[in-house]
Amino acid sequence: NRIKASDGPFSYEESLMERGYKYIIGSDEVGRGSIAGPVLVASCSINIQRSRELSIPLIAGVGDSKTLTEKERMEIYQQIVMSDPAASIYKFNCVERSPQQIDNSNILKATMEGFQESIQNLVLEENMPLDRTYSIVDGKSTPKLVNGPTPIPCRPMVNADSKVYTVSMASIIAKVTRDKIMRTQAHEMYPEYDFHINKGYSTREHIEKIHKYGPCPLHRMSFKALKHRS
């Protein structure tokens, strides 16, 4: 039977566990639509068995990162990363693709490669058994996992970041991680573009800065807003 995402916070993962899967990985990206900076992919898995054995409740308030405030995202993120790694029920892996890598292929290919690497890293790092691991990727496309080192089932799902708990977690991890990159590293290197404010997205003020200063190495020159500029 086809598994459907329902309204419960962990119901999709539970339906997969009823089919025998022990490890459920949710993946999402942030920055695909920006015109500067990396696209960042995060994959997250929750050890629900350990959660139940140790009576550790799932983090409340988890949802699509775009619907949460920066403060809410940060509070959830800190609960994930500040846990003792050995005892934590949350495992995650982040991968980024640079503007140059995006320009050398295209944004879809770069994003799928990021998903592939992030999922594979998590499976291999945590030694997840391939026959008991399942992955869900937000969007319409899935990365190529079948012929790689981690040939696990991978399902695409539109709006999974608001339907599937592990994908929601991944979206929050990806958003907080990329925002930090743009707010610190990118802004410190090129303060004239206000990357700490626009995060690399095509705002009116950002376009005006490009008109004034020209593009920098963090801009994606293959994108429509930047083509024919040098």
Side-chain angles (χ1 to χ4, degrees):
N1 294 333
R2 188 174 178 82
I3 301 171
K4 296 182 180 179
S6 58
D7 296 333
F10 207 68
S11 56
Y12 187 79
E13 287 87 347
E14 287 175 340
S15 67
L16 285 166
M17 291 171 69
E18 288 172 1
R19 282 180 44 181
Y21 291 105
K22 183 178 179 181
Y23 297 92
I24 317 301
I25 299 173
S27 302
D28 200 6
E29 58 76 26
V30 172
R32 183 171 171 175
S34 71
I35 62 172
V39 60
L40 194 137
V41 173
S43 295
C44 180
S45 179
I46 302 170
N47 190 329
I48 195 66
Q49 183 176 335
R50 181 190 289 260
S51 169
R52 289 168 177 167
E53 288 173 354
L54 301 179
S55 298
I56 302 173
L58 296 178
I59 297 172
V62 171
D64 177 6
S65 65
K66 296 185 289 295
T67 67
L68 302 175
T69 66
E70 185 174 357
K71 182 174 181 290
E72 289 170 335
R73 287 194 298 268
M74 185 56 69
E75 287 176 350
I76 293 169
Y77 177 80
Q78 288 177 339
Q79 290 183 68
I80 302 168
V81 301
M82 292 181 72
S83 304
D84 176 4
S88 178
I89 64 171
Y90 303 103
K91 304 295 181 182
F92 65 93
N93 183 272
C94 293
V95 166
E96 61 180 273
R97 287 292 182 267
S98 70
Q100 289 72 34
Q101 289 172 309
I102 293 167
D103 287 340
N104 288 340
S105 54
N106 59 64
I107 186 59
L108 176 60
K109 184 177 179 182
T111 303
M112 289 301 110
E113 288 175 349
F115 276 129
Q116 180 185 41
E117 183 179 344
S118 180
I119 293 169
Q120 288 177 347
N121 287 348
L122 190 57
V123 172
L124 296 173
E125 286 169 5
E126 300 303 324
N127 198 27
M128 298 177 181
L130 301 182
D131 61 341
R132 301 191 68 188
T133 304
Y134 192 101
S135 61
I136 306 105
V137 171
D138 182 67
K140 297 179 179 179
S141 303
T142 58
K144 295 177 181 177
L145 297 175
V146 175
N147 296 319
T150 59
I152 62 172
C154 185
R155 176 185 171 179
M157 184 188 297
V158 176
N159 298 325
D161 50 5
S162 62
K163 300 174 183 175
V164 181
Y165 190 91
T166 47
V167 179
S168 298
M169 294 287 278
S171 77
I172 292 167
I173 294 166
K175 174 68 174 167
V176 172
T177 303
R178 186 181 185 277
D179 280 1
K180 183 178 180 181
I181 291 171
M182 299 306 293
R183 190 171 58 248
T184 56
Q185 299 172 25
H187 178 61
E188 287 167 8
M189 284 191 293
Y190 304 101
E192 61 269 31
Y193 298 99
D194 291 338
F195 287 139
H196 65 305
I197 298 173
N198 59 53
K199 309 299 191 300
Y201 286 91
S202 182
T203 64
R204 186 183 67 181
E205 291 80 8
H206 187 182
I207 296 299
E208 289 173 354
K209 298 284 187 180
I210 296 170
H211 283 309
K212 183 175 182 179
Y213 300 108
C216 75
L218 292 183
H219 284 106
R220 303 174 184 176
M221 301 308 296
S222 60
F223 276 44
K224 185 177 180 181
L226 288 151
K227 278 187 175 179
H228 312 302
R229 293 185 180 276
S230 59

